[in-house]
Amino acid sequence: MTGRGEEDCLKTASQDPPINKESLSELDLNRIVNDTRLRHDLNFEHEIMFRPNTYGRRGTHKKREDNAYFEALVLEFDHYIRRQRKLASSPSRRDSSSPARRRCSESSSPKFPQRLPSMIIAIREVIKTLVPTAKWPTVDDQFDVDLRMQELEHGICDIAGLFEWIGKLLLGSCSPMRDPVVTAMVAKSQQAVSAQDAHQLVGSIRDLFGVLETMKLDVANHQIRHLRLYLLDESIQFEQNQILDRIANGWSISHERRWFETNYAHPEREDRFLMFKERVIDRIVTPTATFPLTLASDHERLKQLQQDFRLCHYHAACGYTFTNTLQRLGWQGSPPPASYTECMKRIGAIIGAEGLGFDFGAHPDVVLEIVREAFRLCSIAALPDHRTLGSTERYFQEALDHRTAFYSEIEGTLWDELATLVHLEADAIFDMTPLEILNRYDPGGPGSYVTNNSNRGGDLSLESISKRAAHVVVLHWRVWAPVLYNQPGPEEVVSVAGMMITEEEEMGERTRGTGSLGSGFGSARRGGGGGGREEVGYGRHATDSQESGSGDGSPSPVFTPSSLSDGDGALGGERVARSRTPSV
């Protein structure tokens, strides 16, 4: 690094270390217990845990800031190492009262803001959150800022001894699985001190911060596992209390009330739970629809359901196109199930398990695969001609064009099937406790509909979609029905307009609603990922879990103020809501 570059680094890099008591406070027990989104997500997964969130643009920016901080720290330590060498090279300078020593001190005083004092404080305060209070006085003595800075000034700071003491303290407090990392950190610091290598020394300090962060995560994840049943059992009441507090402070839910009752001629006479189920199904079926603010906690799950239903519609269009192509080639009746299944598998391989980055159009490769399988089944050895390919592509495109009657027919058929399955599943779990519902859908073993990949989507069966939708619907109804949906009329609902979740709030500090994690932590789901929560999550996020879905880490806009102009009061535009019996 050039002299100019060093000066810029010392001036622009953060003065505070990336890991400190404030940034880790989001993992404190009080914050965990009052994290609304975390408590809601516990209803859907057994294995939720916090992890450092390093995905997407925010993660990249944080890494860049961290690197700049530690580079500046290298320059500061290099300054003190050179100072120590000067003092050691001249015996006259070892006497603190000698003029030579005073001149050396004056000429060697750093001309930049120092980061070492704040670093010492940060390490001290984080360690105190991880060890018993009886050890706090000893920790304070070891990390006396004034004393340590004086020792550095005089070149007598025993950094190797300090690291050895830290190592012994952490080995007595951390999980045994962290012992090798702590031991390696201490050994690395001793090598750095012996070689007077500032880069290696700062590497040891960086490792120390990493160990402290990991220990804090271990504690937080242990607390989640220990309190999970309690948090799950109390989740409905907790969410209701949070909602009532917000309403008391002026939050409007009048638009959500209108979204719920729109297009029902006599809502007061309807089965309100049935109304709500069908409103949610409408949103799942419509790929461009967004969701009301009341469903914000389930936004990621509902958007995934939309994506999966869209893939389901696409496969249905492929199936219709395959059957039509066979009939044009002279085939009588329906295609054999084995041939149909094989064709759908090949198409699934083309578009990808989750359809990410796929435009859902009449893709040439998909058309060619449909025609190829049809020719094979009809024992046609010739290559497909342009006429057959063109006819198949036009038919396929009509099935995918939302403006056509054919598209509406396919959607209506799927809507009826999905609604039937959702009603049956919701009725089956309606009287279950949250834990019973969770165990029904996520028993924690293979085959569960929400384990690993199927929870992130990619399961194209309407049965899987219906189960996940019913889970969201029933839990949401328990929270909101007494507050909103079962209220006699909109005039009795608190009406103060304008509480929307913007894109910035959706990104938040950690996209966790009232439990947002500002330092970049998220919660991870079992199996890893990236959310949001899958990682959720100390990114459960994984939410920033949803960051992994956008590629650049930025979540798509969810709730926008412009949506208030909708006739049904929903947050975001959609076509006219489907009636109770969809037209085909």
Side-chain angles (χ1 to χ4, degrees):
M1 186 180 294
T2 64
R4 181 67 176 176
E6 293 179 357
E7 183 179 349
D8 291 341
C9 180
L10 289 168
K11 287 182 178 179
T12 60
S14 172
Q15 296 297 309
D16 297 313
I19 305 297
N20 52 64
K21 184 179 179 181
E22 178 62 27
S23 68
L24 295 177
S25 65
E26 301 159 25
L27 301 175
D28 290 343
L29 179 60
N30 184 59
R31 295 284 289 272
I32 292 173
V33 170
N34 290 286
D35 187 337
T36 304
R37 187 69 65 87
L38 168 63
R39 296 187 65 158
H40 184 77
D41 287 350
L42 286 171
N43 285 282
F44 295 89
E45 296 235 19
H46 280 293
E47 299 296 334
I48 285 183
M49 61 182 64
F50 289 109
R51 58 158 180 80
N53 193 342
T54 57
Y55 298 99
R57 288 181 300 182
R58 284 171 51 80
T60 301
H61 178 69
K62 186 176 185 302
K63 288 179 182 177
R64 197 161 44 237
E65 286 190 334
D66 293 355
N67 291 335
Y69 172 83
F70 287 111
E71 286 173 4
L73 209 59
V74 168
L75 296 176
E76 291 194 29
F77 272 109
D78 192 55
H79 162 81
Y80 286 108
I81 289 173
R82 291 197 305 268
R83 177 186 179 85
Q84 184 180 20
R85 288 171 180 166
K86 287 182 180 179
L87 293 173
S89 65
S90 175
S92 62
R93 292 175 176 172
R94 295 175 186 169
D95 183 2
S96 59
S97 61
S98 68
R101 177 60 179 265
R102 288 195 297 271
R103 287 194 299 271
C104 176
S105 176
E106 293 171 0
S107 63
S108 301
S109 298
K111 304 298 191 296
F112 48 81
Q114 290 184 289
R115 291 163 181 80
L116 291 177
S118 61
M119 183 200 75
I120 295 171
I121 293 173
I123 295 174
R124 180 186 68 197
E125 296 305 311
V126 173
I127 288 178
K128 287 170 68 174
T129 66
L130 297 170
V131 300
T133 54
K135 297 184 179 180
W136 286 12
T138 306
V139 175
D140 288 333
D141 290 340
Q142 290 290 336
F143 290 94
D144 186 316
V145 178
D146 293 337
L147 175 62
R148 292 300 180 184
M149 293 306 299
Q150 289 179 27
E151 290 177 343
L152 285 170
E153 288 286 344
H154 292 83
I156 57 173
C157 184
D158 184 9
I159 296 178
L162 180 60
F163 264 94
E164 186 174 357
W165 178 86
I166 293 172
K168 291 179 181 179
L169 179 66
L170 297 184
L171 287 173
S173 304
C174 68
S175 169
M177 65 183 299
R178 309 297 177 195
D179 290 356
V181 180
V182 175
T183 303
M185 174 197 71
V186 174
K188 185 176 180 179
S189 67
Q190 291 173 342
Q191 294 173 3
V193 171
S194 298
Q196 292 190 321
D197 187 335
H199 285 88
Q200 194 173 9
L201 179 58
V202 171
S204 303
I205 295 173
R206 193 166 192 169
D207 291 344
L208 172 59
F209 278 115
V211 170
L212 296 177
E213 180 186 44
T214 301
M215 290 179 62
K216 189 71 174 178
L217 285 167
D218 289 342
V219 172
N221 290 327
H222 171 76
Q223 290 170 336
I224 290 178
R225 288 191 296 270
H226 182 70
L227 296 173
R228 185 179 67 84
L229 294 180
Y230 164 77
L231 296 177
L232 185 62
D233 189 52
E234 299 292 326
S235 61
I236 304 298
Q237 185 63 49
F238 177 82
E239 289 188 57
Q240 286 179 342
N241 291 338
Q242 294 289 314
I243 291 166
L244 292 174
D245 285 344
R246 294 184 66 185
I247 292 175
N249 290 325
W251 179 34
S252 168
I253 52 176
S254 58
H255 291 287
E256 284 67 33
R257 176 72 178 218
R258 289 203 299 272
W259 167 81
F260 173 60
E261 295 186 339
T262 296
N263 296 324
Y264 292 90
H266 302 286
E268 70 280 358
R269 300 176 185 173
E270 295 282 356
D271 179 340
R272 289 175 174 265
F273 184 46
L274 176 65
M275 289 168 55
F276 175 69
K277 285 185 288 186
E278 293 184 346
R279 294 298 280 153
V280 173
I281 293 170
D282 281 339
R283 296 279 166 152
I284 292 173
V285 169
T286 308
T288 58
T290 53
F291 298 89
L293 182 57
T294 49
L295 284 162
S297 295
D298 294 303
H299 172 258
E300 294 176 41
R301 281 174 281 272
L302 291 168
K303 294 302 288 185
Q304 185 62 67
L305 289 172
Q306 279 185 330
Q307 177 80 347
D308 288 351
F309 184 86
R310 193 178 184 191
L311 280 166
C312 196
H313 183 119
Y314 192 88
H315 275 246
C318 292
Y320 280 109
T321 305
F322 180 51
T323 302
N324 176 266
T325 303
L326 282 172
Q327 292 172 349
R328 284 189 286 107
L329 294 174
W331 185 271
Q332 299 298 320
S334 301
S339 179
Y340 180 87
T341 301
E342 181 63 25
C343 185
M344 292 302 104
K345 284 183 178 179
R346 292 179 179 273
I347 291 172
I350 292 172
I351 67 176
E354 298 182 24
L356 297 179
F358 194 74
D359 60 4
F360 294 96
H363 197 283
D365 291 344
V366 175
V367 173
L368 185 60
E369 180 57 36
I370 291 173
V371 174
R372 187 201 66 78
E373 183 63 22
F375 270 48
R376 187 197 64 79
L377 193 59
C378 294
S379 300
I380 300 176
L383 293 175
D385 55 88
H386 289 291
R387 181 179 179 182
T388 303
L389 288 171
S391 299
T392 302
E393 183 175 4
R394 286 190 295 272
Y395 187 91
F396 191 28
Q397 187 60 55
E398 183 181 0
L400 298 173
D401 189 346
H402 65 89
R403 297 166 296 184
T404 65
F406 190 20
Y407 179 96
S408 298
E409 180 182 352
I410 297 174
E411 183 181 84
T413 301
L414 294 175
W415 193 99
D416 286 339
E417 294 178 15
L418 179 61
T420 299
L421 292 170
V422 170
H423 294 327
L424 290 173
E425 194 64 29
D427 290 344
I429 66 174
F430 190 79
D431 294 323
M432 292 183 180
T433 66
L435 180 59
E436 290 172 337
I437 300 174
L438 176 60
N439 288 334
R440 175 185 176 95
Y441 293 141
D442 185 15
S448 169
Y449 88 99
V450 291
T451 55
N452 301 332
N453 291 336
S454 60
N455 188 42
R456 303 174 184 285
D459 188 340
L460 304 183
S461 70
L462 286 178
E463 182 180 2
S464 170
I465 296 173
S466 68
K467 288 178 179 179
R468 287 178 279 158
H471 196 173
V472 169
V473 164
V474 168
L475 290 179
H476 180 86
W477 182 259
R478 290 182 183 178
V479 173
W480 283 95
V483 178
L484 175 63
Y485 304 126
N486 281 338
Q487 292 296 318
E491 68 277 0
E492 297 188 22
V493 177
V494 178
S495 178
V496 181
M499 293 295 289
M500 241 74 47
I501 293 183
T502 64
E503 180 178 359
E504 290 76 15
E505 289 171 324
E506 177 65 16
M507 290 178 69
E509 294 298 336
R510 201 200 48 115
T511 57
R512 271 291 167 200
T514 58
S516 113
L517 296 177
S519 62
F521 297 121
S523 62
R525 292 191 174 99
R526 180 179 57 251
R533 63 226 209 199
E534 195 270 346
E535 295 180 6
V536 126
Y538 305 105
R540 258 189 328 276
H541 301 225
T543 40
D544 301 11
S545 86
Q546 69 263 44
E547 287 187 354
S548 63
S550 62
D552 62 358
S554 58
S556 57
V558 183
F559 310 103
T560 56
S562 61
S563 61
L564 288 180
S565 61
D566 290 1
D568 63 357
L571 295 174
E574 79 165 330
R575 57 175 173 75
V576 176
R578 184 180 298 280
S579 61
R580 289 171 56 80
T581 303
S583 59
V584 177

